[in-house]
Amino acid sequence: MDFLSINQQVFIRRSDGRIHQAGIIKLDGSANKIVTVEWNEGVVTRGKEVPLNTIIKLNPQIYDAPAAIRPSQNNTLVSIPPRPAQAQASGQGPKAVMLARQRIATAVMPATAAAVPRTVPESPKDDVVVEIERLRVKRERRRQVHDETRALRQSLKDADPKNPNWEIARMLRMHRMQMTFQPESFASTPTKQHQILVCVRKRPLNRRELNNFEPDVVSVPNRELLVVHEPRKQVNLTKFLEHHNFRFDYTFDDDCSNAQVHERTARPLVRHIFEGGMATCFAYGQTGSGKTHTMGGVFTGKQQNCRDGIYALAAGDVFEYLRHPKYARLGLTVSCSFFELYGTRVYDLLMPGKPQLRVLEDGKQKVQVVGLTEEPVANTDDVLKLLELGNSVRTSGQTSANSKSSRSHAVFQIVLRLPPMGQLHGKFSLIDLAGNERGADNSSSNRLTRLEGAEINKSLLALKECIRALGRQSAHLPFRGSKLTQVLRDSFIGGKKVRTCMIAMISPSLRSVEHTLNTLRYADRVKELTAHALAKGKLPAHKANLAQSNSLPDITSQATQVSRVSSSASMPGVDTHAEHMHSIWNAYTVGSALEDENLAYFNEATDNYDNGNGEATKP
């Protein structure tokens, strides 16, 4: 600071690297040692605080004085000799003075020539310049990495041309290379005897999906495991796969035939009905996932071969067991019925004109389908004729997922009766459920189509609740939740005499991955709610009854009971509970009124029913 002063001109370096002069206006001699400078740019006066070290580096001339006037090492000064007296006395004038000056210069020159010219070292770069240079190098390196990544991405894309989903297909191939597949034949695995059997069947990709290059996002490592690879995106839009693992009793891949599926699902249930039990086998899944293909038979164009479906295969097993000596002595008779549930209405598929039937309860509180046709059959050919007749008049429609979608639940029943009174010995219900749909998929459809989907989803939910209660061995079965469960009431009541098999049908295409996950979660929920799965967290009896009471009489009785308690005794918290139950009752009443209005419209729209082509007349 001793060499600097106010208003002194010094060199400074700007943030952009420029160097110019500025005047000192302030000197800070504290520990910071900051020099404040100021300069003019046009009509604008600018200032800056500069560290003292930077001032020293940029202004070495201030701190390094010339050697001619700098003190020597021994602190002696160069002496100038006096003017010669002889020259003054002789009066030689200016010429003598010039000679004297030359002698003085000659005397001083050795000292001046001895000084070596000092080279100014190159000043280091400012911190801002260094930071700018570092950012530039980093940016160039990042661009280089991006260029390499883009080139690699383009090469991978060129390896699979015309495929818009090439990136997902590549990730699937890489992941499946790391998976362990253990293919084993069903012949080597024993048949499982469970009260509730849950299986999953994966259909192959159809022609349209193959033409659109849709990848297969479902993997079947073995006969019990199944993995769904769901494509997802991170926050930075980077694609990745999320793997969902499921475990079921059986998993059938796209190479399995209907005969192999029947061998593990429906065939054990045929023997169960000969033992005097009730059996139910139903196919559940998204529209177009292969339910009708599995239950009814293989399609060849628009023609269906009923011999390959579970309906016909189960009928063949029935007649095979009839010839067994153990059951031949019983003299059992076999009859079949075939009906559909469209919305809340039941139609007989074996009668000309497909008349509507009523579902009532008799004096023994058994649900009866009034007027339902039971055709006696003697062999498999008779069953095939009934199946062809019923499938030809079944209700179908066009949806966003399938051009010919089943819009009704088809129930084919094989009944065994004991002579001579025709007492019921066993019943096997084979159900081809309508395809479940999301409301978002039907948002662009008309009101009738949306109500069809709502009724279908309502019946499927009620079916799941009944299976849930069956697995928990619950005393209450909510079979009145839909017309489907009401018709199948005897298939859920009976304890150990009742067995159920669920075949969840899934589509492996990328477009159907959300539907596939919903179907698998539905099936997984059914399986995990069995008696073995709920043994750890069983509810108390009073809480279980309250949680399972979701029918109208139960809610009204609970509300009445709470009201009586609150009026007869002043217990703390009872009034609040009563008000809460009344609010639940009011909400239920409003919801029921809205549901009745929609149901009335649905029934009115389906009154004009065309029996010729089996399609409802839509307004």
Side-chain angles (χ1 to χ4, degrees), residues 41-299:
E41 289 187 2
V43 296
V44 180
T45 302
R46 301 184 181 276
K48 183 178 181 180
E49 292 183 348
V50 185
L52 180 60
N53 293 333
T54 305
I55 295 293
I56 296 174
K57 294 176 182 179
L58 296 176
N59 299 271
Q61 73 279 1
I62 298 177
Y63 296 90
D64 296 334
I69 59 176
R70 184 186 303 170
S72 61
Q73 297 294 336
N74 52 8
N75 294 327
T76 59
L77 296 176
V78 178
S79 59
I80 300 175
R83 195 179 286 180
Q86 196 176 23
Q88 293 179 0
S90 60
Q92 293 180 357
K95 186 177 182 180
V97 174
M98 290 296 295
L99 293 173
R101 290 180 178 177
Q102 290 178 0
R103 287 194 297 268
I104 295 174
T106 303
V108 176
M109 277 183 66
T112 305
V116 179
R118 184 175 182 273
T119 58
V120 180
E122 183 180 357
S123 60
K125 296 181 180 179
D126 195 5
D127 296 339
V128 176
V129 179
V130 174
E131 181 67 17
I132 293 174
E133 185 68 18
R134 187 186 66 83
L135 293 177
R136 184 185 63 80
V137 174
K138 185 178 180 180
R139 180 171 59 253
E140 292 178 354
R141 188 183 302 112
R142 185 171 61 251
R143 287 177 179 175
Q144 182 180 0
V145 172
H146 287 175
D147 292 340
E148 294 175 355
T149 305
R150 190 179 297 108
L152 177 61
R153 180 184 176 88
Q154 187 63 34
S155 63
L156 294 175
K157 185 178 181 180
D158 295 338
D160 194 4
K162 299 181 181 180
N163 188 358
N165 302 312
W166 64 270
E167 192 171 4
I168 297 176
R170 179 178 176 272
M171 288 189 291
L172 287 171
R173 289 194 300 267
M174 298 296 293
H175 181 75
R176 283 170 177 158
M177 290 175 60
Q178 301 174 1
M179 294 179 60
T180 302
F181 290 88
Q182 299 175 351
E184 51 186 55
S185 61
F186 285 104
S188 61
T189 57
T191 304
K192 299 181 179 180
Q193 302 292 336
H194 298 321
Q195 186 178 14
I196 298 178
L197 192 70
V198 179
C199 310
V200 177
R201 186 182 187 186
K202 165 191 169 183
R203 70 161 175 84
L205 295 171
N206 55 33
R207 184 180 303 174
R208 184 179 63 178
E209 293 167 347
L210 292 175
N211 293 335
N212 294 334
F213 297 96
E214 293 194 19
D216 185 353
V217 296
V218 178
S219 300
V220 182
N222 53 45
R223 295 305 180 189
E224 292 184 353
L225 297 180
L226 184 140
V227 183
V228 179
H229 314 282
E230 182 186 9
R232 300 288 297 274
K233 286 185 179 180
Q234 296 180 353
V235 180
N236 58 356
L237 301 181
T238 302
K239 295 181 181 180
F240 70 99
L241 293 177
E242 184 176 357
H243 310 288
H244 304 270
N245 300 313
F246 296 92
R247 186 186 184 93
F248 299 100
D249 294 320
Y250 295 111
T251 55
F252 303 96
D253 55 13
D254 49 356
D255 296 329
C256 293
S257 62
N258 285 351
Q260 292 177 323
V261 176
H262 164 75
E263 186 69 25
R264 295 294 169 174
T265 57
R267 187 177 178 84
L269 300 182
V270 174
R271 182 175 180 178
H272 180 69
I273 64 173
F274 275 89
E275 299 292 340
M278 299 290 179
T280 304
C281 179
F282 62 92
Y284 168 84
Q286 170 199 358
T287 300
S289 59
K291 299 182 300 298
T292 305
H293 173 94
T294 302
M295 303 300 292
V298 180
F299 280 90

Side-chain angles (χ1 to χ4, degrees), residues 285-288 291 405-407 409 433-437 456-457 460:
Q286 170 199 358
T287 300
K291 299 182 300 298
S405 173
S406 301
R407 308 302 295 166
H409 306 302
L433 296 174
N436 63 313
E437 297 174 350
I456 291 171
N457 293 338
L460 295 177

Side-chain angles (χ1 to χ4, degrees), residues 285-317:
Q286 170 199 358
T287 300
S289 59
K291 299 182 300 298
T292 305
H293 173 94
T294 302
M295 303 300 292
V298 180
F299 280 90
T300 304
K302 294 185 178 181
Q303 300 296 327
Q304 186 177 15
N305 185 9
C306 297
R307 293 183 179 273
D308 298 332
I310 292 182
Y311 290 155
L313 294 175
D317 291 339

Side-chain angles (χ1 to χ4, degrees), residues 473-487:
Q473 302 295 328
S474 175
H476 173 72
L477 280 168
F479 63 90
R480 291 188 178 89
S482 69
K483 192 70 68 175
L484 174 64
T485 53
Q486 188 176 358
V487 171

